[in-house]
């Protein structure tokens, strides 16, 4: 008897197989700017489908371990990680996934667009990085903070190094067991000592605990209560020998997590550990820390968008191979509609994440308008893509049938790893409350509404119902945002914060997809207009577009 053996999904080159990514790079960087990035993107892409995919697998199957004592009882606090994790570490440095926006030649070539190129690198690499994208996010956040404050230049140089032997990553120690969202309850104390500072307290979730440094929040001696009086401190993780733990630092245990299993996430005890303030300890320091948090939230959005696109690639690959009643799965109208919907969502998530990086680049180059827009766009990008990523990952597993539930296919991790995206760096609800704050301060909803109206007026969408869905959504959002801004603490407004934030996120995505569609249509490419229209009809108009998803399937992927 011949036994049937199913062919698994292949992975196409993620750069050449992603027309949306290439189109957005052409628009945001100009064709010359994109051309200047091509070699970098192609080189990384080639590694992603080859050695980095293997390294990813190795890291996933050899999770980190913690050895607290050596055979003689000496405290070592050693975290061992796999060869795959180390290969990802080296690749992150070589491909400048942290460093790019800080490199002088990248500044000269792309200006603020260096952040756009960085997002493209993350989009290609993140899903096959064994979640090394997590320490990369925190290293970038730390680098942005050190760049802004001018503190600790010797650490900054290492964070943004492209030499694997020199480059370091950073942890970010904020969460304590009594409250991750409510950091006002932080009890870690900073006390002055012989001209320096010492930290004492327990940190409950410290990802990438193998990193050389961390940025920890602590309350300086004598500072008042509340979150705003917390100050970020740089904590060297290791002693001068580079291997022993810093004096007073203990890694109590590693978390046994649902996903992100390659990442060593520790619980840490600090008992008088040496630390260096990154803001004036005599003044409220949380605002300084937000520089880091905005960066890591955007990386979170990039991880969500990248994971969704890669999940789609795997599901497409499988659909092309798998035969069901009636023929190849990829030809089945219902499966095509399912995949088409996932493609539209992946396109929306990509637009949000890319927009966030583009705004960040402009804000870092002194563009006040971009900085104001980022205030609302960053939490919207993080929370909207986080929710989309989990819903999509569940569908991707289902696209593989039972194989999607079996560990050694590699598919279940799509769902396990996606679930962290709406939790860390602020849960969906916590970010929704932040959105309420953003609506009631500064420019509020104005930049978003302006984008939406301008994009709608450009008239690229020609499908019935799109214009109506857009204008109804804009009118409702304007009214609801005004109510929320007027009394952001009223229980009715707070209760509706998540629903409002998601609607805002979907509307911003609609505007971004339409902006790109208008640009593409002028160049004879109608595909982005189709994606934008279907996003608007589904997400803003709540319409059933299944038949269109099936009919236009090939244009959506
Ligand atoms: C894999 C992983 C890695 C992590 N790595 C790090 C790290 O490296 N560094 C770090 O500092 N932290 C890290 N975290 C911690 C993470 O940031 C926190 O878990 C998260 O911020 C939530 O805090 P919490 O766990 O205390 O939950 P809580 O704050 O207790 O939240 C519990 C529930 O209450 C809700 N809630 C809380 N406040 C509000 C509010 N105001 N309004 C409405 N609802 C609310 C939340 O939405 C949630 O549903 C990590 C977490 C995970 C899962």
């Amino acid at each position: 008897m011949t036994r049937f053996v199913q062919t698994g999904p292949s992975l196409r080159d993620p750069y050449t197989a992603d027309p949306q990514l290439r189109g957005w790079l052409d628009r945001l960087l100009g064709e010359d700017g994109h051309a200047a990035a091509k070699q970098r993107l192609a080189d990384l892409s080639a590694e992603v489908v080859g050695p980095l995919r293997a390294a990813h697998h190795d890291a996933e199957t050899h999770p980190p371990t913690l050895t607290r004592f050596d055979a003689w009882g000496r405290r070592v606090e050693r975290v061992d990680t796999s060869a795959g994790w180390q290969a990802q570490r080296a690749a992150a440095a070589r491909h400048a996934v942290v460093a790019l926006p800080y490199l002088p030649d990248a500044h000269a070539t792309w200006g603020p667009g260096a952040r756009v190129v960085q997002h493209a690198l993350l989009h290609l690499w993140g899903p096959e990085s064994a979640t090394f994208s997590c320490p990369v996010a925190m290293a970038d956040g730390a680098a942005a903070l050190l760049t802004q404050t001018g503190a600790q230049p010797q650490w900054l140089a290492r964070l943004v190094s492209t030499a694997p032997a020199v480059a370091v990553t950073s942890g970010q120690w904020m969460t304590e067991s009594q409250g991750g969202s409510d950091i006002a309850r932080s009890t870690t104390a900073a006390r002055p000592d012989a001209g320096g500072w010492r930290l004492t307290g327990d940190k409950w979730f410290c990802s990438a605990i193998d990193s050389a440094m961390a940025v920890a929040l602590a309350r300086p001696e004598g500072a008042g209560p509340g979150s705003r009086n917390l100050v970020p401190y740089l904590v060297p993780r290791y002693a001068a020998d580079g291997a022993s733990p810093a004096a007073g630092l203990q890694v109590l245990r590693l978390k046994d997590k649902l996903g992100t299993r390659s990442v060593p996430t520790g619980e840490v005890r600090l008992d008088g550990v040496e630390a260096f303030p990154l803001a004036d300890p005599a003044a409220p320091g949380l605002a300084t820390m937000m520089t880091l948090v905005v960066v890591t939230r955007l990386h979170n959005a990039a991880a969500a968008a990248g994971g969704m696109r890669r999940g789609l690639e795997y599901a497409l690959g499988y659909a092309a191979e798998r035969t069901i009643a009636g023929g190849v799965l990829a030809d089945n109208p219902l499966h095509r509609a399912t995949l088409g919907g996932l493609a539209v969502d992946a396109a929306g998530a990509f637009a949000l994440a890319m927009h966030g990086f583009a705004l960040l680049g402009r804000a870092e180059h002194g563009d006040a308008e971009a900085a104001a827009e980022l205030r609302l766009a960053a939490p919207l990008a993080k929370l909207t893509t986080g929710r989309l990523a989990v819903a999509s990952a569940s569908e991707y597993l289902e696209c593989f049938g039972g194989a999607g539930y079996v560990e050694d296919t590699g598919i279940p991790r799509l769902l396990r790893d996606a679930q962290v995206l709406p939790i860390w760096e602020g849960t969906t609800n916590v970010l929704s409350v932040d959105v309420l704050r953003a609506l009631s301060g500064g420019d509020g909803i104005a930049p978003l509404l302006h984008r939406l109206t301008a994009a709608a007026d450009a008239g690229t969408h020609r499908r019935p119902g799109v214009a109506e869905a857009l204008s109804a959504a804009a009118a409702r959002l304007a009214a609801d945002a005004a109510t929320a801004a007027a009394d952001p603490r009223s229980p009715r407004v707070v209760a509706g914060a998540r629903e409002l934030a998601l609607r805002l996120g979907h509307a911003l995505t609609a505007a971004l997809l339409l902006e790109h569609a208008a640009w593409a249509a002028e160049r004879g490419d109608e595909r982005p207009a189709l994606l934008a229209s279907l996003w608007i009809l589904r997400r803003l108009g709540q319409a059933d577009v299944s038949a269109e998803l099936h009919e236009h399937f090939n244009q959506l992927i």
Side-chain angles (χ1 to χ4, degrees):
M1 186 186 88
T2 314
R3 198 166 65 94
F4 173 76
V5 178
Q6 176 64 49
T7 308
S10 55
L11 182 61
R12 299 184 293 175
D13 179 284
Y15 176 47
T16 52
D18 191 338
Q20 189 190 23
L21 172 65
R22 285 182 283 111
W24 275 65
L25 291 174
D26 277 341
R27 178 166 66 91
L28 296 182
L29 301 173
E31 288 188 10
D32 288 348
H34 184 184
K38 262 186 186 139
Q39 196 57 50
R40 274 184 183 281
L41 298 168
D43 288 350
L44 176 58
S45 211
E47 277 197 47
V48 163
V49 291
L52 289 177
R53 202 174 177 206
H56 171 95
H57 182 71
D58 179 68
E60 286 291 311
T61 43
H62 299 96
T65 56
L66 170 66
T67 305
R68 299 205 58 208
F69 299 94
D70 73 5
W72 310 105
R74 191 171 60 97
R75 201 178 274 290
V76 287
E77 314 288 339
R78 198 183 67 240
V79 175
D80 288 312
T81 54
S82 61
W85 181 254
Q86 295 309 329
Q88 296 288 354
R89 177 186 296 286
R94 270 188 291 108
H95 290 282
V97 289
V98 175
L100 195 81
Y102 305 90
L103 297 178
D105 63 331
H107 273 277
T109 310
W110 298 294
R115 283 283 184 194
V116 169
V117 182
Q118 181 191 31
H119 177 241
L121 292 170
L122 291 167
H123 190 69
L124 297 172
W125 169 70
E128 245 69 39
S129 73
T131 323
F132 201 86
S133 51
C134 165
V136 155
M138 297 189 291
D140 191 2
L145 180 52
L146 298 189
T147 302
Q148 192 201 50
T149 60
Q152 302 292 322
Q154 72 284 19
W155 280 103
L156 176 61
R158 297 192 68 191
L159 287 166
V160 303
S161 171
T162 53
V166 178
V168 296
T169 55
S170 178
Q172 169 190 330
W173 301 346
M174 295 168 67
T175 304
E176 299 186 7
S177 64
Q178 64 275 17
S181 311
D182 184 10
I183 54 170
R185 300 168 74 202
S186 297
T187 58
T188 299
R191 107 187 119 71
D193 175 64
W197 288 82
R198 303 261 162 201
L199 302 195
T200 298
D202 282 0
K203 294 291 182 183
W204 182 237
F205 262 101
C206 304
S207 285
I209 189 59
D210 55 336
S211 294
M213 59 164 274
V215 178
L217 275 182
R219 197 178 305 283
E221 203 171 76
S227 57
R228 57 193 291 275
N229 290 311
L230 296 168
V231 169
Y233 286 81
L234 190 155
V235 183
R237 156 81 171 82
Y238 298 101
D241 67 6
S244 320
L249 187 149
Q250 293 177 38
V251 182
L252 300 178
R253 60 175 169 164
L254 296 185
K255 301 279 195 194
D256 182 8
K257 295 172 292 176
L258 170 69
T260 67
R261 289 184 183 167
S262 315
V263 184
T265 299
E267 293 170 22
V268 170
R269 173 155 297 159
L270 306 170
D271 186 6
V273 174
E274 183 178 36
F276 303 92
L278 298 175
D280 178 2
L286 188 68
T288 309
M289 186 66 170
M290 289 315 290
T291 302
L292 181 156
V293 172
V294 167
V295 171
T296 50
R297 283 181 177 169
L298 294 180
H299 274 260
N300 203 89
M308 288 168 73
R309 177 71 210 183
R310 197 61 48 84
L312 179 66
E313 278 296 315
Y314 281 123
L316 288 170
Y318 191 66
E321 298 288 345
R322 183 72 173 168
T323 303
I324 53 154
V328 178
L329 186 53
D331 294 336
N332 177 277
L334 180 52
H335 197 70
R336 284 159 68 94
T338 306
L339 289 177
L342 290 165
V344 173
D345 284 351
F350 172 84
L352 270 178
M354 186 55 110
H355 178 58
F357 275 78
L359 285 178
L360 177 66
R362 285 171 49 203
E364 288 174 337
H365 278 68
D367 182 335
E369 220 173 87
E373 191 176 348
L374 190 59
R375 173 66 190 91
L376 181 59
L380 288 182
K382 198 284 189 184
L383 76 90
T384 308
T385 58
R387 291 287 5 140
L388 283 173
V390 176
S392 295
S394 169
E395 288 284 8
Y396 287 129
L397 262 67
E398 200 173 325
C399 286
F400 285 82
Y405 205 71
V406 174
E407 279 294 345
D408 59 2
T409 63
I411 302 302
R413 71 159 189 86
L414 294 178
L415 183 57
R416 290 194 274 99
D417 290 352
Q419 186 60 65
V420 76
L421 297 168
I423 296 178
W424 102 293
E425 284 305 346
T427 61
T428 311
N429 282 2
V430 166
L431 286 162
S432 302
V433 174
D434 188 46
V435 164
L436 290 184
R437 282 193 290 272
L439 288 177
S440 57
D443 292 349
I445 195 180
L448 192 161
L449 280 183
H450 177 71
R451 261 185 200 281
L452 193 59
T453 318
D457 290 349
T460 321
H461 49 83
R462 283 186 281 274
R463 292 193 136 58
V466 173
E468 294 76 4
L470 275 171
S471 60
R476 200 172 148 219
L477 281 175
D480 292 350
T483 307
D487 191 1
R489 289 169 190 237
S490 109
R492 287 185 70 84
V493 168
V494 173
R498 171 197 275 250
E499 205 268 344
L500 176 60
L502 285 168
R503 275 197 288 127
L504 285 164
H506 293 165
L508 175 58
T509 309
L512 300 172
L513 290 173
L514 281 173
E515 283 170 13
H516 185 69
W519 175 89
E522 281 174 16
R523 284 150 188 81
D525 180 5
E526 293 296 331
R527 181 184 171 275
L530 175 68
L531 278 168
S533 299
L534 293 177
W535 171 274
I536 291 162
L537 291 170
R538 288 175 87 215
R539 295 280 167 192
L540 271 48
Q542 315 299 331
D544 176 4
V545 292
S546 308
E548 291 210 71
L549 290 169
H550 156 60
E551 278 160 28
H552 303 292
F553 178 66
N554 291 335
Q555 281 176 272
L556 299 174
I557 55 173

